[in-house]
Amino acid sequence: MSETEWKKLIEEIMNCRKCPLHKTRRNPVPGDGNPQADIMFVGEAPGEREDIMGKPFVGAAGKFLDHLLDMVGLKRSQVYITNIVKCRPPGNRDPREEEIEACIPYLWRQIRLIKPKMIVALGRHAARTLYSRAGLKWTNMTRNHGRVVEAVLEGNRVLLAVTYHPAAALYNPKLRSTLEEDFKKIFREYNERLRGLTTSSKRSPNLLDFFRKS
Ligand code: URA
Ligand code: SF4
Protein backbone atom coordinates (compact mmCIF):
# COMPACT_ATOMS: atom_id res chain seq x y z
CA MET A 1 0.00 0.00 0.00
CA SER A 2 1.26 3.44 -0.88
CA GLU A 3 1.01 5.61 2.22
CA THR A 4 1.22 8.77 0.12
CA GLU A 5 -1.74 7.66 -2.00
CA TRP A 6 -3.70 6.73 1.11
CA LYS A 7 -3.07 10.11 2.79
CA LYS A 8 -4.01 11.92 -0.41
CA LEU A 9 -7.27 9.97 -0.62
CA ILE A 10 -8.24 10.72 2.99
CA GLU A 11 -7.43 14.43 2.45
CA GLU A 12 -9.61 14.51 -0.64
CA ILE A 13 -12.52 13.04 1.31
CA MET A 14 -11.95 15.51 4.17
CA ASN A 15 -12.20 18.42 1.70
CA CYS A 16 -14.81 16.96 -0.65
CA ARG A 17 -17.71 19.03 -2.01
CA LYS A 18 -18.78 16.73 -4.81
CA CYS A 19 -22.35 16.30 -3.61
CA PRO A 20 -24.85 18.39 -1.60
CA LEU A 21 -24.19 16.39 1.59
CA HIS A 22 -21.11 18.54 2.18
CA LYS A 23 -23.40 21.47 3.05
CA THR A 24 -25.08 19.78 6.01
CA ARG A 25 -22.31 17.54 7.38
CA ARG A 26 -20.33 18.47 10.48
CA ASN A 27 -17.46 16.13 9.62
CA PRO A 28 -16.81 13.78 6.73
CA VAL A 29 -16.29 10.18 7.86
CA PRO A 30 -13.66 8.55 5.62
CA GLY A 31 -13.26 5.38 7.72
CA ASP A 32 -11.58 3.91 10.76
CA GLY A 33 -9.26 1.07 11.68
CA ASN A 34 -6.24 -0.35 9.93
CA PRO A 35 -5.82 0.37 6.21
CA GLN A 36 -3.43 -2.64 6.05
CA ALA A 37 -6.19 -4.95 7.28
CA ASP A 38 -7.31 -8.11 5.45
CA ILE A 39 -10.95 -7.50 6.34
CA MET A 40 -13.11 -4.52 5.41
CA PHE A 41 -16.61 -3.64 6.61
CA VAL A 42 -18.81 -1.39 4.52
CA GLY A 43 -21.91 0.25 6.02
CA GLU A 44 -24.33 2.73 4.53
CA ALA A 45 -23.70 6.31 5.69
CA PRO A 46 -22.67 8.14 8.86
CA GLY A 47 -25.38 8.88 11.42
CA GLU A 48 -25.49 11.69 13.96
CA ARG A 49 -22.78 10.41 16.34
CA GLU A 50 -20.53 9.59 13.40
CA ASP A 51 -21.06 13.07 11.94
CA ILE A 52 -20.06 14.63 15.28
CA MET A 53 -17.05 12.38 15.87
CA GLY A 54 -15.86 11.99 12.27
CA LYS A 55 -15.68 8.21 12.81
CA PRO A 56 -17.87 5.38 11.49
CA PHE A 57 -20.06 3.23 13.75
CA VAL A 58 -19.59 5.06 17.04
CA GLY A 59 -23.32 5.34 17.91
CA ALA A 60 -25.78 2.66 19.00
CA ALA A 61 -25.34 0.57 15.83
CA GLY A 62 -21.59 0.85 16.35
CA LYS A 63 -21.87 -0.59 19.86
CA PHE A 64 -23.63 -3.63 18.42
CA LEU A 65 -20.99 -3.91 15.68
CA ASP A 66 -18.30 -3.86 18.39
CA HIS A 67 -20.11 -6.72 20.10
CA LEU A 68 -20.24 -8.70 16.83
CA LEU A 69 -16.53 -8.08 16.19
CA ASP A 70 -15.67 -9.10 19.72
CA MET A 71 -17.68 -12.30 19.29
CA VAL A 72 -15.51 -13.39 16.35
CA GLY A 73 -12.31 -12.28 18.08
CA LEU A 74 -11.62 -9.10 16.12
CA LYS A 75 -10.59 -5.66 17.32
CA ARG A 76 -11.26 -2.49 15.36
CA SER A 77 -7.51 -2.10 14.94
CA GLN A 78 -7.48 -5.39 12.96
CA VAL A 79 -10.09 -4.36 10.39
CA TYR A 80 -11.02 -1.33 8.30
CA ILE A 81 -14.53 0.10 8.62
CA THR A 82 -16.12 2.55 6.20
CA ASN A 83 -19.37 3.42 4.42
CA ILE A 84 -20.81 3.70 0.92
CA VAL A 85 -21.31 7.45 1.48
CA LYS A 86 -18.85 9.44 3.58
CA CYS A 87 -21.07 12.31 4.80
CA ARG A 88 -24.26 12.12 6.86
CA PRO A 89 -27.55 12.47 4.99
CA PRO A 90 -29.75 14.97 6.90
CA GLY A 91 -32.05 13.30 9.42
CA ASN A 92 -30.43 9.93 8.58
CA ARG A 93 -32.50 9.55 5.43
CA ASP A 94 -31.26 7.00 2.86
CA PRO A 95 -28.47 8.32 0.64
CA ARG A 96 -29.79 9.33 -2.81
CA GLU A 97 -28.63 7.60 -5.95
CA GLU A 98 -26.72 10.70 -7.13
CA GLU A 99 -24.99 11.01 -3.75
CA ILE A 100 -23.87 7.39 -3.91
CA GLU A 101 -22.65 7.95 -7.47
CA ALA A 102 -20.63 11.01 -6.44
CA CYS A 103 -19.10 9.32 -3.41
CA ILE A 104 -18.53 5.73 -4.48
CA PRO A 105 -15.21 6.34 -6.31
CA TYR A 106 -13.68 6.94 -2.86
CA LEU A 107 -14.69 3.43 -1.77
CA TRP A 108 -13.26 1.91 -4.95
CA ARG A 109 -9.98 3.72 -4.32
CA GLN A 110 -9.96 2.52 -0.70
CA ILE A 111 -10.42 -1.06 -1.91
CA ARG A 112 -7.64 -0.68 -4.50
CA LEU A 113 -5.22 0.53 -1.82
CA ILE A 114 -6.24 -1.79 1.03
CA LYS A 115 -6.55 -4.93 -1.17
CA PRO A 116 -8.65 -6.74 1.45
CA LYS A 117 -9.12 -10.52 1.42
CA MET A 118 -12.71 -10.19 2.58
CA ILE A 119 -15.29 -7.41 2.39
CA VAL A 120 -18.36 -7.63 4.60
CA ALA A 121 -21.31 -5.59 3.35
CA LEU A 122 -23.49 -4.38 6.22
CA GLY A 123 -27.04 -3.88 4.98
CA ARG A 124 -28.70 -3.96 1.59
CA HIS A 125 -27.33 -0.67 0.25
CA ALA A 126 -23.74 -1.81 0.70
CA ALA A 127 -24.63 -5.31 -0.51
CA ARG A 128 -26.33 -4.27 -3.74
CA THR A 129 -23.64 -1.68 -4.53
CA LEU A 130 -20.79 -4.17 -4.05
CA TYR A 131 -22.60 -7.02 -5.85
CA SER A 132 -23.30 -4.74 -8.78
CA ARG A 133 -19.67 -3.54 -8.99
CA ALA A 134 -18.53 -7.19 -8.96
CA GLY A 135 -20.99 -8.02 -11.77
CA LEU A 136 -23.02 -10.29 -9.50
CA LYS A 137 -26.78 -10.43 -9.39
CA TRP A 138 -28.26 -9.08 -6.15
CA THR A 139 -31.69 -10.28 -5.10
CA ASN A 140 -32.46 -9.53 -1.46
CA MET A 141 -31.13 -9.82 2.06
CA THR A 142 -33.57 -12.54 3.11
CA ARG A 143 -31.98 -14.85 0.54
CA ASN A 144 -28.39 -13.70 0.81
CA HIS A 145 -27.62 -12.86 4.43
CA GLY A 146 -24.73 -14.87 5.81
CA ARG A 147 -23.57 -15.80 2.32
CA VAL A 148 -19.90 -15.61 1.30
CA VAL A 149 -19.08 -15.52 -2.42
CA GLU A 150 -15.89 -15.19 -4.40
CA ALA A 151 -15.75 -11.92 -6.33
CA VAL A 152 -13.41 -9.61 -8.18
CA LEU A 153 -13.52 -6.00 -7.00
CA GLU A 154 -11.13 -3.37 -8.35
CA GLY A 155 -8.98 -6.06 -9.93
CA ASN A 156 -8.71 -7.77 -6.58
CA ARG A 157 -9.96 -11.25 -5.75
CA VAL A 158 -11.97 -11.12 -2.54
CA LEU A 159 -14.50 -12.98 -0.50
CA LEU A 160 -17.65 -10.89 -0.48
CA ALA A 161 -19.91 -11.50 2.52
CA VAL A 162 -23.25 -9.89 3.30
CA THR A 163 -25.38 -9.52 6.38
CA TYR A 164 -28.01 -7.17 7.80
CA HIS A 165 -27.10 -3.69 8.96
CA PRO A 166 -26.36 -3.67 12.71
CA ALA A 167 -28.89 -0.82 13.12
CA ALA A 168 -31.63 -3.16 11.87
CA ALA A 169 -31.14 -5.24 15.02
CA LEU A 170 -31.89 -2.18 17.15
CA TYR A 171 -35.34 -1.81 15.56
CA ASN A 172 -35.98 -5.52 15.25
CA PRO A 173 -34.49 -7.46 18.19
CA LYS A 174 -35.10 -10.78 16.40
CA LEU A 175 -32.33 -9.80 14.00
CA ARG A 176 -29.79 -9.71 16.83
CA SER A 177 -29.30 -13.45 16.82
CA THR A 178 -29.51 -13.57 13.00
CA LEU A 179 -26.61 -11.11 12.81
CA GLU A 180 -24.68 -13.05 15.45
CA GLU A 181 -25.17 -16.31 13.54
CA ASP A 182 -24.24 -14.62 10.24
CA PHE A 183 -21.01 -13.25 11.74
CA LYS A 184 -20.08 -16.67 13.13
CA LYS A 185 -20.78 -18.34 9.79
CA ILE A 186 -18.96 -15.67 7.75
CA PHE A 187 -15.81 -15.83 9.88
CA ARG A 188 -15.88 -19.62 10.12
CA GLU A 189 -15.86 -19.67 6.30
CA TYR A 190 -13.19 -16.99 6.16
CA ASN A 191 -10.94 -19.04 8.42
CA GLU A 192 -11.60 -22.28 6.58
CA ARG A 193 -11.11 -20.81 3.14
CA LEU A 194 -8.14 -18.66 3.97
CA ARG A 195 -6.19 -19.21 7.16
CA GLY A 196 -6.38 -22.99 6.72
CA LEU A 197 -4.86 -22.55 3.31
CA THR A 198 -1.70 -20.84 4.43
CA THR A 199 -0.88 -23.72 6.79
CA SER A 200 -1.70 -26.51 4.31
CA SER A 201 -1.31 -25.02 0.89
CA LYS A 202 -1.31 -28.47 -0.72
CA ARG A 203 -4.94 -28.97 0.12
CA SER A 204 -6.26 -26.27 -2.14
CA PRO A 205 -3.78 -24.79 -4.57
CA ASN A 206 -6.50 -23.15 -6.64
CA LEU A 207 -7.77 -21.17 -3.72
CA LEU A 208 -4.24 -20.10 -2.84
CA ASP A 209 -3.94 -18.76 -6.36
CA PHE A 210 -7.26 -17.10 -5.88
CA PHE A 211 -5.92 -15.05 -2.99
CA ARG A 212 -2.45 -14.29 -4.32
CA LYS A 213 -2.19 -10.51 -4.27
CA SER A 214 -1.06 -8.85 -7.45
N1 URA B 1 -24.62 3.30 10.16
C1 URA B 1 -23.80 3.18 9.08
O1 URA B 1 -24.15 2.63 8.06
N2 URA B 1 -22.59 3.68 9.17
C2 URA B 1 -22.12 4.28 10.26
O2 URA B 1 -20.97 4.70 10.24
C3 URA B 1 -22.98 4.39 11.37
C4 URA B 1 -24.22 3.90 11.29
FE1 SF4 C 1 -18.03 14.20 -1.11
FE2 SF4 C 1 -19.02 11.84 -0.53
FE3 SF4 C 1 -19.26 13.81 1.22
FE4 SF4 C 1 -20.69 13.86 -1.04
S1 SF4 C 1 -20.87 12.35 0.63
S2 SF4 C 1 -19.52 15.57 -0.18
S3 SF4 C 1 -19.25 12.92 -2.48
S4 SF4 C 1 -17.36 12.85 0.56
Side-chain angles (χ1 to χ4, degrees):
M1 123 108 61
S2 153
E3 289 217 6
T4 328
E5 287 281 306
W6 181 258
K7 276 193 191 143
K8 188 167 157 264
L9 171 54
I10 300 301
E11 286 238 340
E12 271 183 58
I13 297 171
M14 295 307 287
N15 297 306
C16 182
R17 293 169 161 225
K18 283 188 187 148
C19 88
L21 294 181
H22 83 269
K23 291 186 229 161
T24 45
R25 74 178 175 216
R26 274 170 278 205
N27 293 293
V29 182
D32 186 35
N34 184 354
Q36 317 269 17
D38 286 338
I39 301 163
M40 254 180 111
F41 290 87
V42 180
E44 181 181 329
E48 188 179 23
R49 287 303 296 163
E50 291 75 23
D51 181 53
I52 291 170
M53 308 286 287
K55 273 192 179 193
F57 287 98
V58 288
K63 281 224 173 70
F64 187 50
L65 177 61
D66 284 339
H67 158 74
L68 293 166
L69 289 174
D70 190 56
M71 211 185 55
V72 294
L74 285 171
K75 297 188 180 73
R76 273 192 187 229
S77 59
Q78 295 173 301
V79 301
Y80 192 79
I81 304 174
T82 188
N83 287 301
I84 291 290
V85 156
K86 313 301 192 201
C87 302
R88 181 195 184 203
N92 295 353
R93 63 160 168 76
D94 282 356
R96 299 192 171 125
E97 210 47 58
E98 61 269 26
E99 293 159 355
I100 296 176
E101 239 173 72
C103 206
I104 205 69
Y106 294 128
L107 179 67
W108 307 143
R109 282 167 67 190
Q110 287 175 315
I111 293 174
R112 289 204 287 275
L113 289 168
I114 294 175
K115 295 185 170 63
K117 293 191 172 83
M118 181 159 77
I119 301 179
V120 184
L122 301 170
R124 65 194 171 87
H125 292 286
R128 77 176 160 79
T129 306
L130 288 162
Y131 261 58
S132 152
R133 183 70 169 182
L136 300 169
K137 190 172 154 6
W138 175 252
T139 51
N140 56 56
M141 197 53 93
T142 313
R143 279 174 75 145
N144 287 299
H145 74 92
R147 198 168 272 179
V148 182
V149 297
E150 294 174 3
V152 178
L153 279 165
E154 303 312 293
N156 208 19
R157 288 183 172 276
V158 294
L159 292 175
L160 179 55
V162 300
T163 186
Y164 290 96
H165 194 288
L170 305 176
Y171 307 116
N172 180 359
K174 279 185 204 149
L175 284 181
R176 268 188 85 93
S177 55
T178 309
L179 260 155
E180 288 174 348
E181 290 313 309
D182 280 1
F183 260 65
K184 285 184 208 159
K185 175 178 181 288
I186 287 167
F187 286 92
R188 202 185 312 125
E189 281 199 36
Y190 174 77
N191 285 323
E192 278 167 10
R193 292 165 89 154
L194 227 123
R195 294 234 183 101
L197 292 176
T198 45
T199 51
S200 78
S201 55
K202 262 186 270 169
R203 215 174 54 211
S204 204
N206 293 341
L207 264 178
L208 246 200
D209 271 352
F210 181 83
F211 285 106
R212 193 157 288 143
K213 289 189 177 184
S214 48

